[in-house]
Amino acid sequence: MNVGLVIVMGVSIVFIGLVCIVLLCKIMSAVVAISEKATPAAPSTVKAQPVNTPAPAAASVSPDPGPRGEVVAAIAAVLAEELGEDVSAIRILSLKKVN
């Protein structure tokens, strides 16, 4: 079999498949748009009541609140993965911001 023919057939099948996927997405998008227009929105029977809430008091905010627990957990997980250790074996004592 000719190598060039195999390459051309393979590439054409891939692009035909991609065109089919795009067409399927467009068809499904049209079906969803039509179905959303066909179903009317349910009327809301609950009326919103205005709520009088006092303005929050000005809280003292420190300029550098420090690292949050999620950041420390993410750093510990990355270090554990790179070092091949268990996460419980890693203790992060302090973090310093580097510019």
Side-chain angles (χ1 to χ4, degrees):
M1 195 171 216
N2 190 1
V3 175
L5 179 65
V6 171
I7 292 172
V8 170
M9 294 259 311
V11 170
S12 64
I13 288 174
V14 167
F15 281 110
I16 289 171
L18 290 174
V19 169
C20 289
I21 291 172
V22 169
L23 290 175
L24 182 65
C25 288
K26 288 192 182 275
I27 291 170
M28 290 302 296
S29 175
V31 168
V32 169
I34 291 171
S35 69
E36 285 179 352
K37 288 181 184 177
T39 56
S44 177
T45 58
V46 178
K47 294 183 180 179
Q49 298 289 332
V51 178
N52 295 330
T53 58
S60 63
V61 177
S62 64
D64 186 21
R68 298 191 185 272
E70 295 89 7
V71 175
V72 174
I75 293 171
V78 170
L79 286 174
E81 183 67 29
E82 287 296 318
L83 297 175
E85 296 283 331
D86 189 31
V87 177
S88 62
I90 294 179
R91 301 283 184 251
I92 297 177
L93 301 177
S94 67
L95 293 175
K96 182 178 179 182
K97 185 176 180 180
V98 178
N99 292 337

